[in-house]
Amino acid sequence: MMYRLFQGDDKDFQLLFAEAPVALAISMMDGDELLFCNNRLGQVFGVDPSELVGKPATSFYVHSKDRLSLLREFNENGFVERKEIEVQAPNGKRFWMEITCREIQLNGVAAIFSCIEDVTRHRETRKALEGSEARFRTYFEFNPVPLCVWRMNDEGDFVLEACNPASLAESGKRIAKGIGTKVSSYFEERPDVLAFFRHCVSEVGPVEKEFEFRFGGEKRIFSCHFMFVPPNTVIVHAINRTEQRRMEQELDWKRAELSHKNRLATVGKMSSVVAHEINQPLGAIANFSTTIGTLLREPKIDISKLRELFDEITTEALRAGEITRSMKRFASQAVPHRSTIDLNDAVVEVARLMAADARRYKTSISLQLTSEPLLVNADFVQIQQVLVNVMLNAIESFGPSSEKRREIRVESKREGKNLLVLVSDNGCGIGEMQAEAIFEPYFSTKESGVGLGLSISRELVESHKGRLWAAPNQVSGLTVHLEIPDLGEPQP
Amino acid sequence: MNGTVYVVDDDRQMRKSFVSLLDASGYKTRNFASAEEFLEETVFDRPSCALIDVRLEGISGLEVPRRLASDRPKMPIVFISGYASIRDVVKGMREGAADFLEKPCPPDRLLECIRQAIAKDENNQAQQRAQRELRDRLTQREQQVVELLAEGRSVKQVAAALNVTYQTVNRHRAKAMRKLGVDSVIKFVRLWKEFERESGSSKS
């Protein structure tokens, strides 16, 4: 069938053949000799077309069997469609061609009319793509980390497209049933999951979040990395952190238990001092109330004087209550509890607890605190415990015979992203080397005491992502630094 | 009933409560936050006593009697302490504490101690007055002789020191003994020593 608008003669058609922008060739069915070829074919082979004509087509094939199989296919079907074959030009240039063949009759002789295209570059690109696809597939299949691929749909929801064997193993094959389902229905109970999917699309680079799921009553914690691959794919790594978190929690408990024991020991050590601290207001109350009794026996009763005395009694009762409350909180809290606290509050309360002990050792405690609150997310009692241990250490650092005025200075300040409490004494001090050693368990220069206080303190501070260290002062004594990062706003 | 109580306690509220209690019971009070402050006093009311907390910042309460001796000998001192060790009590008593109380102390007990301490001081005062009178009866020469004898010198040494005869010294001694109403040399020396202690640094 021919479609034509103009009536051309043979010459016209010869021109069309010769100048066609595709490479064309005609070869004999018998003998396989190349009868005609056009200019474009010469370009493809990189030679003058005249060098090609008259040669057997087979001679251009790198592997002659390729020609044979092409001819076999041609004979069977009467055509060949887009076959890729490696060929070699007379000048030695090798390339891949894509060939399509049709049967024609030229003056009653059967011939093969072929259209040829150089597909070497296509082929390389495709191979490379196939290679990267294969690599990705291997990575996906054999990655020990559970991986899932989700694709965003028009509703802004995400459909599970694929998941790797690791994720099947992790979920007990549950997730395989999820292929084709949407995030909104797969995590029906957890709208936060879809919200996070949407969040990650707006981010450049991977985003991370820890999710806690319940599978049939069993709690699992996953640390998930979401990577958005434009235009519409999200790859999710989910690492099971359940065991790790459980161990961390166990460690937390162990630490809490140890710190509680340390606090009880500290309380034991301070109990006589604290008893005195409570006796003080109690004694004052007894004195005030006896005074009231005496005044009431007088003929003329001075009401305003009585009121004053009753106020004093109230003040003293509250003072005693304050001490027992601090003490009780300090001694009895066994379960760690984090909340937003002011470091200055902790310092003030500890200074009150320590006041009596300090007096006993003839030591003065001075505070120099920031006027604005130093807020951190921390366990109030544990921070207090650290301060108590550090201050006890400071109080006890003064040699028993030391005659000089004993002073402990507590300073709080903000330094960039960190909040600091510095406790310095003017005691006998220790060398640079020992400044680190005091945090070792069982290090003690004192006769009493096991030497666990400061090592527990350091652990407690580190569990708050903070640091606790000591450095000798220039003149005398030691300064212990407690540093806690300012967490800023709590994570959403 | 009256008298002055010197209250020394570094706990402001505690001090205030002592003052109000003693005030209501008819005593005059003076109060101090530290031993140092109290020791700056040079003139003291009579009769009086001190109520002193043992644990004070700076100079310990137990140091007070010794340091006070030159300005105000024999002031009765009631110690009060939150955690008194046996050693503290012993030291306090040796320093001449009138009493040793533990905090918190029943107010009645405290008032009783104060009452006794004031009474003791009144008694001391009377005794001192009487002793002074006795002493004033001696002539200057007799006093000289007695002082030297009390130092442990023999009659011969005293005679040499005063450049008088052995007999003269003996005569002065016998007269002084009669005036003071003692019948043995030992009692005589002991009494004289007491005089010297009463009058504090008068001699030294």
Side-chain angles (χ1 to χ4, degrees), chain A residues 96-114:
Chain A
W96 283 83
M97 68 170 183
E98 186 186 82
I99 184 165
T100 298
C101 307
R102 294 287 182 274
E103 188 184 338
I104 52 169
Q105 295 290 325
L106 281 180
N107 303 325
V109 181
I112 304 170
F113 183 33
S114 309

mmCIF file with all atom_site columns, all heavy atoms in Angstrom, chain A residues 96-114:
data_model
loop_
_atom_site.group_PDB
_atom_site.id
_atom_site.type_symbol
_atom_site.label_atom_id
_atom_site.label_alt_id
_atom_site.label_comp_id
_atom_site.label_asym_id
_atom_site.label_entity_id
_atom_site.label_seq_id
_atom_site.pdbx_PDB_ins_code
_atom_site.Cartn_x
_atom_site.Cartn_y
_atom_site.Cartn_z
_atom_site.occupancy
_atom_site.B_iso_or_equiv
_atom_site.pdbx_formal_charge
_atom_site.auth_seq_id
_atom_site.auth_comp_id
_atom_site.auth_asym_id
_atom_site.auth_atom_id
_atom_site.pdbx_PDB_model_num
ATOM 1   N N   . TRP A 1 96  ? 26.265 -1.341  18.163  1.00 0.00 ? 96  TRP A N   1
ATOM 2   C CA  . TRP A 1 96  ? 25.033 -2.132  18.206  1.00 0.00 ? 96  TRP A CA  1
ATOM 3   C C   . TRP A 1 96  ? 24.000 -1.469  17.331  1.00 0.00 ? 96  TRP A C   1
ATOM 4   O O   . TRP A 1 96  ? 23.804 -0.265  17.394  1.00 0.00 ? 96  TRP A O   1
ATOM 5   C CB  . TRP A 1 96  ? 24.503 -2.219  19.648  1.00 0.00 ? 96  TRP A CB  1
ATOM 6   C CG  . TRP A 1 96  ? 25.281 -3.209  20.488  1.00 0.00 ? 96  TRP A CG  1
ATOM 7   C CD1 . TRP A 1 96  ? 26.439 -2.971  21.125  1.00 0.00 ? 96  TRP A CD1 1
ATOM 8   C CD2 . TRP A 1 96  ? 24.927 -4.554  20.734  1.00 0.00 ? 96  TRP A CD2 1
ATOM 9   N NE1 . TRP A 1 96  ? 26.876 -4.089  21.767  1.00 0.00 ? 96  TRP A NE1 1
ATOM 10  C CE2 . TRP A 1 96  ? 25.942 -5.101  21.550  1.00 0.00 ? 96  TRP A CE2 1
ATOM 11  C CE3 . TRP A 1 96  ? 23.876 -5.402  20.333  1.00 0.00 ? 96  TRP A CE3 1
ATOM 12  C CZ2 . TRP A 1 96  ? 25.931 -6.415  21.988  1.00 0.00 ? 96  TRP A CZ2 1
ATOM 13  C CZ3 . TRP A 1 96  ? 23.868 -6.714  20.790  1.00 0.00 ? 96  TRP A CZ3 1
ATOM 14  C CH2 . TRP A 1 96  ? 24.886 -7.213  21.603  1.00 0.00 ? 96  TRP A CH2 1
ATOM 15  N N   . MET A 1 97  ? 23.399 -2.325  16.473  1.00 0.00 ? 97  MET A N   1
ATOM 16  C CA  . MET A 1 97  ? 22.320 -1.783  15.648  1.00 0.00 ? 97  MET A CA  1
ATOM 17  C C   . MET A 1 97  ? 21.012 -2.441  16.036  1.00 0.00 ? 97  MET A C   1
ATOM 18  O O   . MET A 1 97  ? 20.967 -3.548  16.548  1.00 0.00 ? 97  MET A O   1
ATOM 19  C CB  . MET A 1 97  ? 22.597 -2.028  14.165  1.00 0.00 ? 97  MET A CB  1
ATOM 20  C CG  . MET A 1 97  ? 22.532 -3.497  13.770  1.00 0.00 ? 97  MET A CG  1
ATOM 21  S SD  . MET A 1 97  ? 22.567 -3.709  11.992  1.00 0.00 ? 97  MET A SD  1
ATOM 22  C CE  . MET A 1 97  ? 22.398 -5.473  11.828  1.00 0.00 ? 97  MET A CE  1
ATOM 23  N N   . GLU A 1 98  ? 19.960 -1.649  15.767  1.00 0.00 ? 98  GLU A N   1
ATOM 24  C CA  . GLU A 1 98  ? 18.629 -2.242  15.906  1.00 0.00 ? 98  GLU A CA  1
ATOM 25  C C   . GLU A 1 98  ? 18.102 -2.357  14.490  1.00 0.00 ? 98  GLU A C   1
ATOM 26  O O   . GLU A 1 98  ? 18.076 -1.369  13.751  1.00 0.00 ? 98  GLU A O   1
ATOM 27  C CB  . GLU A 1 98  ? 17.740 -1.321  16.741  1.00 0.00 ? 98  GLU A CB  1
ATOM 28  C CG  . GLU A 1 98  ? 16.383 -1.938  17.055  1.00 0.00 ? 98  GLU A CG  1
ATOM 29  C CD  . GLU A 1 98  ? 15.469 -0.923  17.756  1.00 0.00 ? 98  GLU A CD  1
ATOM 30  O OE1 . GLU A 1 98  ? 14.861 -0.099  17.047  1.00 0.00 ? 98  GLU A OE1 1
ATOM 31  O OE2 . GLU A 1 98  ? 15.408 -0.946  18.997  1.00 0.00 ? 98  GLU A OE2 1
ATOM 32  N N   . ILE A 1 99  ? 17.739 -3.560  14.134  1.00 0.00 ? 99  ILE A N   1
ATOM 33  C CA  . ILE A 1 99  ? 17.356 -3.791  12.732  1.00 0.00 ? 99  ILE A CA  1
ATOM 34  C C   . ILE A 1 99  ? 15.914 -4.300  12.627  1.00 0.00 ? 99  ILE A C   1
ATOM 35  O O   . ILE A 1 99  ? 15.473 -5.108  13.434  1.00 0.00 ? 99  ILE A O   1
ATOM 36  C CB  . ILE A 1 99  ? 18.359 -4.760  12.048  1.00 0.00 ? 99  ILE A CB  1
ATOM 37  C CG1 . ILE A 1 99  ? 18.040 -4.923  10.561  1.00 0.00 ? 99  ILE A CG1 1
ATOM 38  C CG2 . ILE A 1 99  ? 18.398 -6.113  12.736  1.00 0.00 ? 99  ILE A CG2 1
ATOM 39  C CD1 . ILE A 1 99  ? 19.168 -5.566  9.750   1.00 0.00 ? 99  ILE A CD1 1
ATOM 40  N N   . THR A 1 100 ? 15.206 -3.736  11.643  1.00 0.00 ? 100 THR A N   1
ATOM 41  C CA  . THR A 1 100 ? 13.843 -4.180  11.355  1.00 0.00 ? 100 THR A CA  1
ATOM 42  C C   . THR A 1 100 ? 13.807 -4.545  9.857   1.00 0.00 ? 100 THR A C   1
ATOM 43  O O   . THR A 1 100 ? 14.304 -3.771  9.030   1.00 0.00 ? 100 THR A O   1
ATOM 44  C CB  . THR A 1 100 ? 12.854 -3.039  11.639  1.00 0.00 ? 100 THR A CB  1
ATOM 45  O OG1 . THR A 1 100 ? 12.954 -2.715  13.029  1.00 0.00 ? 100 THR A OG1 1
ATOM 46  C CG2 . THR A 1 100 ? 11.419 -3.433  11.305  1.00 0.00 ? 100 THR A CG2 1
ATOM 47  N N   . CYS A 1 101 ? 13.306 -5.748  9.545   1.00 0.00 ? 101 CYS A N   1
ATOM 48  C CA  . CYS A 1 101 ? 13.370 -6.228  8.154   1.00 0.00 ? 101 CYS A CA  1
ATOM 49  C C   . CYS A 1 101 ? 11.986 -6.546  7.589   1.00 0.00 ? 101 CYS A C   1
ATOM 50  O O   . CYS A 1 101 ? 11.113 -7.033  8.310   1.00 0.00 ? 101 CYS A O   1
ATOM 51  C CB  . CYS A 1 101 ? 14.200 -7.513  8.062   1.00 0.00 ? 101 CYS A CB  1
ATOM 52  S SG  . CYS A 1 101 ? 15.821 -7.337  8.800   1.00 0.00 ? 101 CYS A SG  1
ATOM 53  N N   . ARG A 1 102 ? 11.852 -6.219  6.298   1.00 0.00 ? 102 ARG A N   1
ATOM 54  C CA  . ARG A 1 102 ? 10.619 -6.576  5.579   1.00 0.00 ? 102 ARG A CA  1
ATOM 55  C C   . ARG A 1 102 ? 11.015 -7.265  4.267   1.00 0.00 ? 102 ARG A C   1
ATOM 56  O O   . ARG A 1 102 ? 12.075 -6.979  3.703   1.00 0.00 ? 102 ARG A O   1
ATOM 57  C CB  . ARG A 1 102 ? 9.806  -5.316  5.249   1.00 0.00 ? 102 ARG A CB  1
ATOM 58  C CG  . ARG A 1 102 ? 9.240  -4.587  6.460   1.00 0.00 ? 102 ARG A CG  1
ATOM 59  C CD  . ARG A 1 102 ? 8.053  -5.366  7.068   1.00 0.00 ? 102 ARG A CD  1
ATOM 60  N NE  . ARG A 1 102 ? 7.491  -4.626  8.201   1.00 0.00 ? 102 ARG A NE  1
ATOM 61  C CZ  . ARG A 1 102 ? 7.949  -4.723  9.447   1.00 0.00 ? 102 ARG A CZ  1
ATOM 62  N NH1 . ARG A 1 102 ? 8.987  -5.502  9.700   1.00 0.00 ? 102 ARG A NH1 1
ATOM 63  N NH2 . ARG A 1 102 ? 7.382  -4.042  10.397  1.00 0.00 ? 102 ARG A NH2 1
ATOM 64  N N   . GLU A 1 103 ? 10.123 -8.130  3.783   1.00 0.00 ? 103 GLU A N   1
ATOM 65  C CA  . GLU A 1 103 ? 10.412 -8.813  2.514   1.00 0.00 ? 103 GLU A CA  1
ATOM 66  C C   . GLU A 1 103 ? 9.841  -7.979  1.374   1.00 0.00 ? 103 GLU A C   1
ATOM 67  O O   . GLU A 1 103 ? 8.722  -7.466  1.465   1.00 0.00 ? 103 GLU A O   1
ATOM 68  C CB  . GLU A 1 103 ? 9.768  -10.208 2.508   1.00 0.00 ? 103 GLU A CB  1
ATOM 69  C CG  . GLU A 1 103 ? 10.190 -11.025 1.317   1.00 0.00 ? 103 GLU A CG  1
ATOM 70  C CD  . GLU A 1 103 ? 9.473  -12.387 1.237   1.00 0.00 ? 103 GLU A CD  1
ATOM 71  O OE1 . GLU A 1 103 ? 8.992  -12.865 2.287   1.00 0.00 ? 103 GLU A OE1 1
ATOM 72  O OE2 . GLU A 1 103 ? 9.398  -12.928 0.128   1.00 0.00 ? 103 GLU A OE2 1
ATOM 73  N N   . ILE A 1 104 ? 10.686 -7.809  0.317   1.00 0.00 ? 104 ILE A N   1
ATOM 74  C CA  . ILE A 1 104 ? 10.158 -7.126  -0.886  1.00 0.00 ? 104 ILE A CA  1
ATOM 75  C C   . ILE A 1 104 ? 10.539 -7.921  -2.144  1.00 0.00 ? 104 ILE A C   1
ATOM 76  O O   . ILE A 1 104 ? 11.450 -8.762  -2.086  1.00 0.00 ? 104 ILE A O   1
ATOM 77  C CB  . ILE A 1 104 ? 10.702 -5.680  -1.017  1.00 0.00 ? 104 ILE A CB  1
ATOM 78  C CG1 . ILE A 1 104 ? 12.232 -5.659  -0.933  1.00 0.00 ? 104 ILE A CG1 1
ATOM 79  C CG2 . ILE A 1 104 ? 10.091 -4.737  0.025   1.00 0.00 ? 104 ILE A CG2 1
ATOM 80  C CD1 . ILE A 1 104 ? 12.851 -4.340  -1.311  1.00 0.00 ? 104 ILE A CD1 1
ATOM 81  N N   . GLN A 1 105 ? 9.844  -7.634  -3.220  1.00 0.00 ? 105 GLN A N   1
ATOM 82  C CA  . GLN A 1 105 ? 10.169 -8.256  -4.507  1.00 0.00 ? 105 GLN A CA  1
ATOM 83  C C   . GLN A 1 105 ? 10.750 -7.179  -5.404  1.00 0.00 ? 105 GLN A C   1
ATOM 84  O O   . GLN A 1 105 ? 10.121 -6.142  -5.646  1.00 0.00 ? 105 GLN A O   1
ATOM 85  C CB  . GLN A 1 105 ? 8.885  -8.811  -5.154  1.00 0.00 ? 105 GLN A CB  1
ATOM 86  C CG  . GLN A 1 105 ? 8.230  -9.956  -4.361  1.00 0.00 ? 105 GLN A CG  1
ATOM 87  C CD  . GLN A 1 105 ? 9.037  -11.246 -4.387  1.00 0.00 ? 105 GLN A CD  1
ATOM 88  O OE1 . GLN A 1 105 ? 9.681  -11.562 -5.417  1.00 0.00 ? 105 GLN A OE1 1
ATOM 89  N NE2 . GLN A 1 105 ? 9.029  -11.998 -3.298  1.00 0.00 ? 105 GLN A NE2 1
ATOM 90  N N   . LEU A 1 106 ? 11.970 -7.407  -5.840  1.00 0.00 ? 106 LEU A N   1
ATOM 91  C CA  . LEU A 1 106 ? 12.594 -6.468  -6.766  1.00 0.00 ? 106 LEU A CA  1
ATOM 92  C C   . LEU A 1 106 ? 12.770 -7.184  -8.100  1.00 0.00 ? 106 LEU A C   1
ATOM 93  O O   . LEU A 1 106 ? 13.584 -8.128  -8.183  1.00 0.00 ? 106 LEU A O   1
ATOM 94  C CB  . LEU A 1 106 ? 13.964 -6.008  -6.257  1.00 0.00 ? 106 LEU A CB  1
ATOM 95  C CG  . LEU A 1 106 ? 14.013 -4.934  -5.174  1.00 0.00 ? 106 LEU A CG  1
ATOM 96  C CD1 . LEU A 1 106 ? 15.468 -4.651  -4.825  1.00 0.00 ? 106 LEU A CD1 1
ATOM 97  C CD2 . LEU A 1 106 ? 13.326 -3.668  -5.618  1.00 0.00 ? 106 LEU A CD2 1
ATOM 98  N N   . ASN A 1 107 ? 11.970 -6.752  -9.096  1.00 0.00 ? 107 ASN A N   1
ATOM 99  C CA  . ASN A 1 107 ? 12.008 -7.406  -10.409 1.00 0.00 ? 107 ASN A CA  1
ATOM 100 C C   . ASN A 1 107 ? 11.851 -8.920  -10.294 1.00 0.00 ? 107 ASN A C   1
ATOM 101 O O   . ASN A 1 107 ? 12.600 -9.709  -10.871 1.00 0.00 ? 107 ASN A O   1
ATOM 102 C CB  . ASN A 1 107 ? 13.321 -7.099  -11.162 1.00 0.00 ? 107 ASN A CB  1
ATOM 103 C CG  . ASN A 1 107 ? 13.528 -5.613  -11.334 1.00 0.00 ? 107 ASN A CG  1
ATOM 104 O OD1 . ASN A 1 107 ? 12.555 -4.868  -11.512 1.00 0.00 ? 107 ASN A OD1 1
ATOM 105 N ND2 . ASN A 1 107 ? 14.762 -5.171  -11.256 1.00 0.00 ? 107 ASN A ND2 1
ATOM 106 N N   . GLY A 1 108 ? 10.933 -9.313  -9.375  1.00 0.00 ? 108 GLY A N   1
ATOM 107 C CA  . GLY A 1 108 ? 10.654 -10.745 -9.227  1.00 0.00 ? 108 GLY A CA  1
ATOM 108 C C   . GLY A 1 108 ? 11.653 -11.486 -8.394  1.00 0.00 ? 108 GLY A C   1
ATOM 109 O O   . GLY A 1 108 ? 11.544 -12.682 -8.189  1.00 0.00 ? 108 GLY A O   1
ATOM 110 N N   . VAL A 1 109 ? 12.636 -10.761 -7.841  1.00 0.00 ? 109 VAL A N   1
ATOM 111 C CA  . VAL A 1 109 ? 13.622 -11.433 -6.977  1.00 0.00 ? 109 VAL A CA  1
ATOM 112 C C   . VAL A 1 109 ? 13.323 -11.061 -5.525  1.00 0.00 ? 109 VAL A C   1
ATOM 113 O O   . VAL A 1 109 ? 13.093 -9.883  -5.218  1.00 0.00 ? 109 VAL A O   1
ATOM 114 C CB  . VAL A 1 109 ? 15.051 -10.992 -7.332  1.00 0.00 ? 109 VAL A CB  1
ATOM 115 C CG1 . VAL A 1 109 ? 16.078 -11.708 -6.462  1.00 0.00 ? 109 VAL A CG1 1
ATOM 116 C CG2 . VAL A 1 109 ? 15.327 -11.226 -8.798  1.00 0.00 ? 109 VAL A CG2 1
ATOM 117 N N   . ALA A 1 110 ? 13.329 -12.099 -4.648  1.00 0.00 ? 110 ALA A N   1
ATOM 118 C CA  . ALA A 1 110 ? 13.033 -11.817 -3.231  1.00 0.00 ? 110 ALA A CA  1
ATOM 119 C C   . ALA A 1 110 ? 14.219 -11.101 -2.589  1.00 0.00 ? 110 ALA A C   1
ATOM 120 O O   . ALA A 1 110 ? 15.356 -11.508 -2.755  1.00 0.00 ? 110 ALA A O   1
ATOM 121 C CB  . ALA A 1 110 ? 12.749 -13.127 -2.487  1.00 0.00 ? 110 ALA A CB  1
ATOM 122 N N   . ALA A 1 111 ? 13.916 -10.029 -1.921  1.00 0.00 ? 111 ALA A N   1
ATOM 123 C CA  . ALA A 1 111 ? 14.984 -9.265  -1.249  1.00 0.00 ? 111 ALA A CA  1
ATOM 124 C C   . ALA A 1 111 ? 14.540 -8.867  0.164   1.00 0.00 ? 111 ALA A C   1
ATOM 125 O O   . ALA A 1 111 ? 13.359 -8.920  0.488   1.00 0.00 ? 111 ALA A O   1
ATOM 126 C CB  . ALA A 1 111 ? 15.307 -8.013  -2.052  1.00 0.00 ? 111 ALA A CB  1
ATOM 127 N N   . ILE A 1 112 ? 15.545 -8.483  0.998   1.00 0.00 ? 112 ILE A N   1
ATOM 128 C CA  . ILE A 1 112 ? 15.233 -8.058  2.376   1.00 0.00 ? 112 ILE A CA  1
ATOM 129 C C   . ILE A 1 112 ? 15.466 -6.560  2.463   1.00 0.00 ? 112 ILE A C   1
ATOM 130 O O   . ILE A 1 112 ? 16.560 -6.068  2.159   1.00 0.00 ? 112 ILE A O   1
ATOM 131 C CB  . ILE A 1 112 ? 16.141 -8.774  3.393   1.00 0.00 ? 112 ILE A CB  1
ATOM 132 C CG1 . ILE A 1 112 ? 16.046 -10.299 3.248   1.00 0.00 ? 112 ILE A CG1 1
ATOM 133 C CG2 . ILE A 1 112 ? 15.779 -8.343  4.825   1.00 0.00 ? 112 ILE A CG2 1
ATOM 134 C CD1 . ILE A 1 112 ? 17.081 -11.060 4.040   1.00 0.00 ? 112 ILE A CD1 1
ATOM 135 N N   . PHE A 1 113 ? 14.434 -5.844  2.866   1.00 0.00 ? 113 PHE A N   1
ATOM 136 C CA  . PHE A 1 113 ? 14.523 -4.400  3.010   1.00 0.00 ? 113 PHE A CA  1
ATOM 137 C C   . PHE A 1 113 ? 14.655 -4.093  4.509   1.00 0.00 ? 113 PHE A C   1
ATOM 138 O O   . PHE A 1 113 ? 13.789 -4.435  5.296   1.00 0.00 ? 113 PHE A O   1
ATOM 139 C CB  . PHE A 1 113 ? 13.258 -3.768  2.414   1.00 0.00 ? 113 PHE A CB  1
ATOM 140 C CG  . PHE A 1 113 ? 13.273 -2.267  2.444   1.00 0.00 ? 113 PHE A CG  1
ATOM 141 C CD1 . PHE A 1 113 ? 14.467 -1.543  2.314   1.00 0.00 ? 113 PHE A CD1 1
ATOM 142 C CD2 . PHE A 1 113 ? 12.084 -1.555  2.581   1.00 0.00 ? 113 PHE A CD2 1
ATOM 143 C CE1 . PHE A 1 113 ? 14.454 -0.177  2.316   1.00 0.00 ? 113 PHE A CE1 1
ATOM 144 C CE2 . PHE A 1 113 ? 12.084 -0.170  2.593   1.00 0.00 ? 113 PHE A CE2 1
ATOM 145 C CZ  . PHE A 1 113 ? 13.273 0.517   2.451   1.00 0.00 ? 113 PHE A CZ  1
ATOM 146 N N   . SER A 1 114 ? 15.784 -3.497  4.889   1.00 0.00 ? 114 SER A N   1
ATOM 147 C CA  . SER A 1 114 ? 16.047 -3.302  6.325   1.00 0.00 ? 114 SER A CA  1
ATOM 148 C C   . SER A 1 114 ? 16.193 -1.829  6.678   1.00 0.00 ? 114 SER A C   1
ATOM 149 O O   . SER A 1 114 ? 16.718 -1.036  5.892   1.00 0.00 ? 114 SER A O   1
ATOM 150 C CB  . SER A 1 114 ? 17.357 -3.998  6.724   1.00 0.00 ? 114 SER A CB  1
ATOM 151 O OG  . SER A 1 114 ? 17.350 -5.329  6.281   1.00 0.00 ? 114 SER A OG  1
#
